[in-house]
Amino acid sequence: MNKILKLNTRDKTTLLRTPFMASLGASAQARMLEIATVMSYEARDILFREGEAADSFYCVLNGYVRLFRLNKDGREADIRICGPGDTFAECLLAMGDHYLYNSQAAETITVARFELQKVRALAEQEKDVAKAIIQCLSNHLRNTMDCIANDRLQTAPQRVAHYLLDNCPQEGSSASIRLPFQKSLLAGKLGLAPEALSRAFSSLRRAGVTVRGRIIQISDISALKQI
Amino acid sequence: MNKILKLNTRDKTTLLRTPFMASLGASAQARMLEIATVMSYEARDILFREGEAADSFYCVLNGYVRLFRLNKDGREADIRICGPGDTFAECLLAMGDHYLYNSQAAETITVARFELQKVRALAEQEKDVAKAIIQCLSNHLRNTMDCIANDRLQTAPQRVAHYLLDNCPQEGSSASIRLPFQKSLLAGKLGLAPEALSRAFSSLRRAGVTVRGRIIQISDISALKQI
DNA sequence: CGCGAGTTTGAATCCCGTCAAGTTTAGTGG
DNA sequence: CCACTAAACTTGACGGGATTCAAACTCGCG
């Protein structure tokens, strides 16, 4: 199932490039590396479930992780999709010892794991760590509030257009994007059923969006902004 | 329009009872009080608008504040309703100098205002302050993620039932709740149009929910949990 | 080449938003 | 304390957007 790995050089550099770790001073970085564990999971593996006793938070090194909740009928709703560099379950650092949602590997992934207690202790000593936590929570909160606003204000085609524009390599009138994950994952991220995403893409054809597999061509970026 | 008030004794004790301030040590509390400004607004006053230069974050002392976004058609969507003790715009402490949403007084309110720069400086010196910020952001993030999950998983009557149960005075088989604000505000908080809230209430009648003005009677709490 | 997961498309349904009207509530001033 | 008015809320009718189910299709991989 999942493997505990030694922290190799490549993982170490990936970890240090993470927004969370990159902002730390040298001594704080070293101490965080000391307490880091790297783990790997296969597609569809569950990292943890909602309500389980929580002892760690995570940082994605490779691949994508899906955070989701279940309603009592067993229907799933994604709360967040975490990619390389993203941390999750950090809000347990302040308080709470049970995970608030389920987390699942969307593909083969490697993650770094940090024991909450050790990081709490470290945050007491190293001001950098506390600052990095604040930074991290703030970003996360910002994104989550944006997500609520988008859910409540935008239709499916608008959400897709918004996602595409957010992931466009800046300037030029046209662009080409390669989705970093399956369409069904994007659907969940945008709060849509896969069918709704598919329909949204086809309704964006008239705005110059062409989809072939994971490759998305945008012929007119400014037209997309009008959606 | 809005008034800048002197920090009177009553506001001071209110402020100190706030989750954010209550967790601080005595010296940190004193220094926060020093830099606090109390302001008052009338119903419908705008505190700030999305995109404006931001220099402060806020803590609600009295009344309710609505945080919302606009889409380009001018439609509004509430992101959060803040009541006494809640802080907002704290995520700007880490980064960003423009407000991310609009904020409006839902009634006559008093709020405490803290300049971001001063608080940032204080957080450097007083570890308590950094910890309180982390606490605050964590809570806020938790609530916001819950909100997304609820939006995506629950129907209108379920959201209302959920809200009622969250605000029930714990045990007993029946309960009575008085809404602390207008129904239209609750509707926004739950991501619904006022009409949808009204219909949700009437569909909950069969589950033993009776609404008269702001007073809501729940005859069978366990029945409500089944919704 | 063929299998299976992922995706697309169609049809039916449902939930919610919007508009319009009627009803209740709350706040004001006599 | 009551009457009056504006705001808040409720109710009905309608439409649109999204979910669900089912089936066809495509792509990637063995």
Side-chain angles (χ1 to χ4, degrees):
Chain A
M1 189 133 177
N2 64 72
K3 285 187 205 153
I4 304 183
L5 305 170
K6 279 214 61 166
L7 189 63
N8 65 33
T9 323
R10 164 189 239 162
D11 291 334
K12 204 183 289 185
T13 59
T14 312
L15 192 48
L16 289 176
R17 273 200 209 122
T18 279
F20 178 68
M21 295 283 286
S23 68
L24 299 177
S27 82
Q29 278 188 345
R31 299 188 63 182
M32 285 296 292
L33 282 179
E34 267 173 38
I35 64 174
T37 317
V38 171
M39 302 185 72
S40 122
Y41 294 85
E42 292 305 313
R44 293 163 195 282
D45 284 354
I46 300 290
L47 280 69
F48 55 76
R49 288 183 197 280
E50 179 180 352
E52 278 183 11
D55 64 338
S56 300
F57 80 95
Y58 293 80
C59 182
V60 179
L61 298 179
N62 226 294
Y64 286 84
V65 176
R66 202 166 79 87
L67 309 181
F68 65 98
R69 279 260 181 89
L70 299 167
N71 70 358
K72 53 177 162 297
D73 306 337
R75 208 162 58 84
E76 299 181 354
D78 288 359
I79 296 175
R80 192 157 92 106
I81 304 300
C82 297
D86 288 336
T87 58
F88 57 97
E90 357 69 321
C91 57
L92 297 175
L93 278 168
M95 172 211 45
D97 48 2
H98 292 273
Y99 290 113
L100 302 170
Y101 34 72
N102 307 280
S103 84
Q104 181 184 42
E107 54 190 300
T108 303
I109 61 166
T110 63
V111 294
R113 213 182 126 112
F114 300 91
E115 281 185 39
L116 294 169
Q117 288 197 328
K118 291 183 183 169
V119 179
R120 283 188 198 117
L122 207 50
E124 289 284 335
Q125 297 163 28
E126 301 264 5
K127 220 179 335 187
D128 283 359
V129 174
K131 247 198 263 184
I133 293 171
I134 290 176
Q135 190 72 46
C136 195
L137 286 168
S138 292
N139 270 315
H140 194 161
L141 179 56
R142 255 182 84 134
N143 292 334
T144 309
M145 293 181 86
D146 283 356
C147 181
I148 291 185
N150 290 342
D151 276 17
R152 293 182 172 181
L153 284 173
Q154 299 187 313
T155 65
Q158 290 174 327
R159 290 182 217 179
V160 175
H162 192 220
Y163 173 84
L164 294 177
L165 292 170
D166 276 353
N167 293 284
C168 258
Q170 306 299 13
E171 289 315 318
S173 63
S174 71
S176 178
I177 295 175
R178 187 189 154 79
L179 294 179
F181 38 56
Q182 296 186 155
K183 289 202 189 92
S184 54
L185 205 62
L186 176 60
K189 179 184 172 72
L190 300 178
L192 299 171
E195 297 93 324
L197 176 65
S198 189
R199 285 184 237 276
F201 271 130
S202 75
S203 92
L204 288 178
R205 258 202 299 265
R206 72 195 62 180
V209 175
T210 316
V211 179
R212 218 172 36 246
R214 287 190 179 182
I215 306 294
I216 299 172
Q217 300 274 353
I218 303 168
S219 67
D220 185 354
I221 290 184
S222 59
L224 204 54
K225 287 181 183 160
Q226 310 302 329
I227 299 285
Chain B
M1 188 129 175
N2 65 72
K3 287 188 204 154
I4 304 183
L5 305 171
K6 279 213 56 165
L7 189 64
N8 65 33
T9 323
R10 166 189 240 156
D11 292 334
K12 203 183 289 185
T13 59
T14 312
L15 191 48
L16 289 175
R17 273 200 207 121
T18 279
F20 178 67
M21 295 284 286
S23 68
L24 299 177
S27 82
Q29 278 188 345
R31 300 187 64 181
M32 284 297 291
L33 282 179
E34 267 173 39
I35 64 174
T37 316
V38 172
M39 302 186 70
S40 124
Y41 294 85
E42 292 305 313
R44 292 164 194 281
D45 283 355
I46 299 290
L47 280 70
F48 55 77
R49 290 183 196 279
E50 179 180 352
E52 278 183 11
D55 64 338
S56 300
F57 79 95
Y58 293 80
C59 181
V60 179
L61 299 178
N62 226 293
Y64 286 84
V65 176
R66 202 166 80 85
L67 309 182
F68 65 99
R69 280 258 181 90
L70 300 168
N71 69 359
K72 54 177 161 299
D73 306 337
R75 209 161 57 84
E76 300 181 352
D78 289 358
I79 296 176
R80 193 158 90 108
I81 304 299
C82 296
D86 289 336
T87 58
F88 58 96
E90 357 69 321
C91 57
L92 297 176
L93 278 167
M95 169 212 47
D97 49 1
H98 291 273
Y99 290 113
L100 302 169
Y101 34 71
N102 307 281
S103 83
Q104 181 185 41
E107 54 190 298
T108 303
I109 61 165
T110 63
V111 294
R113 214 182 125 111
F114 300 91
E115 281 184 39
L116 294 168
Q117 289 197 328
K118 291 183 183 170
V119 179
R120 284 188 198 117
L122 208 50
E124 289 283 335
Q125 297 163 28
E126 300 264 6
K127 218 179 335 186
D128 282 1
V129 174
K131 244 198 264 183
I133 293 170
I134 290 177
Q135 189 74 44
C136 197
L137 287 168
S138 293
N139 269 313
H140 195 160
L141 179 54
R142 256 182 83 133
N143 291 333
T144 309
M145 294 182 85
D146 282 356
C147 181
I148 291 185
N150 290 342
D151 276 16
R152 293 183 172 180
L153 284 173
Q154 300 188 314
T155 65
Q158 290 173 328
R159 289 181 218 179
V160 176
H162 192 222
Y163 173 84
L164 294 177
L165 292 169
D166 276 352
N167 293 284
C168 258
Q170 304 299 13
E171 287 315 317
S173 62
S174 70
S176 179
I177 296 174
R178 186 190 156 79
L179 293 179
F181 38 57
Q182 295 186 154
K183 290 202 190 91
S184 55
L185 206 63
L186 176 59
K189 180 184 171 70
L190 300 177
L192 299 171
E195 296 95 325
L197 175 66
S198 191
R199 283 185 239 276
F201 270 130
S202 75
S203 91
L204 288 178
R205 260 202 298 266
R206 73 196 60 179
V209 175
T210 315
V211 179
R212 221 174 29 247
R214 286 190 179 180
I215 307 293
I216 299 172
Q217 299 274 354
I218 303 167
S219 67
D220 186 355
I221 290 183
S222 58
L224 205 54
K225 288 182 183 159
Q226 310 302 328
I227 298 286

